[in-house]
Amino acid sequence: ISSSKHKRRIVQYYDSGAVRYINDLFGQKKEVYTFYREDDGSLDEIANYENNKPEGKREMFYRSGKLKTVSYYSKGKIVSMEEFEENGAKVSETKVENGNGRWLGCSPDGGYCCDCLVVNGKLKNCKNLNPPKQVEKKR
């Protein structure tokens, strides 16, 4: 997104005073949200919106700053999604293409925290895996 003279920035804070998110507005319809964690201020997520719906790239991060999830949206619907372990290895069980597939989400402890189907761009039948499920690594 290129900057324009219409750019505005909104910053929201946690009660603790730490930055919760920064919302950069470009014109009247395009926005970029950058979310931070309250306890350590680390980057949590960067998401693009257009007309109040997710649009384009969305990235989620581990506390270490490494990429956790990258997904692409069109008109508020998931088009594709990839999940990464903290060591950078791609989670082969997560495969979402053309708005359909499966998302197996990583938890910070190295297991998997959730298992969802993606159907026509929407998360369906999500199961919380508590305690996190350990999946045998393919070598």
Side-chain angles (χ1 to χ4, degrees):
I1 297 175
S2 62
S3 63
S4 71
K5 64 181 180 175
H6 302 291
K7 182 178 174 183
R8 276 190 329 154
R9 176 170 273 191
I10 298 169
V11 180
Q12 187 177 79
Y13 298 89
Y14 290 104
D15 289 341
S16 67
V19 173
R20 181 174 182 201
Y21 69 78
I22 297 172
N23 178 8
D24 288 313
L25 295 99
F26 299 86
Q28 295 185 0
K29 298 181 180 186
K30 294 186 180 202
E31 304 173 80
V32 177
Y33 281 89
T34 306
F35 293 90
Y36 299 90
R37 293 179 182 86
E38 182 175 18
D39 58 352
D40 65 1
S42 63
L43 177 64
D44 189 28
E45 177 182 342
I46 299 172
N48 292 283
Y49 281 76
E50 191 167 323
N51 295 319
N52 297 317
K53 293 181 181 177
E55 184 67 30
K57 192 176 195 179
R58 177 183 179 199
E59 297 173 298
M60 298 175 76
F61 300 89
Y62 288 102
R63 288 183 185 278
S64 66
K66 293 185 179 178
L67 184 63
K68 180 183 178 306
T69 310
V70 63
S71 48
Y72 289 89
Y73 288 78
S74 178
K75 298 178 183 163
K77 292 188 175 185
I78 300 165
V79 175
S80 66
M81 181 181 277
E82 292 180 306
E83 185 79 7
F84 300 90
E85 295 177 18
E86 195 164 8
N87 66 9
K90 188 175 173 184
V91 176
S92 62
E93 291 85 353
T94 292
K95 185 168 185 159
V96 178
E97 296 175 345
N98 300 314
N100 295 290
R102 178 182 182 206
W103 174 48
L104 187 63
C106 291
S107 64
D109 70 356
Y112 297 98
C113 63
C114 54
D115 192 351
C116 300
L117 292 178
V118 179
V119 179
N120 296 323
K122 298 289 182 187
L123 294 174
K124 303 279 184 182
N125 300 325
C126 289
K127 296 177 208 136
N128 283 330
L129 305 175
N130 195 5
K133 176 182 175 187
Q134 297 297 317
V135 174
E136 190 171 318
K137 307 285 184 224
K138 296 176 183 171
R139 304 238 181 240

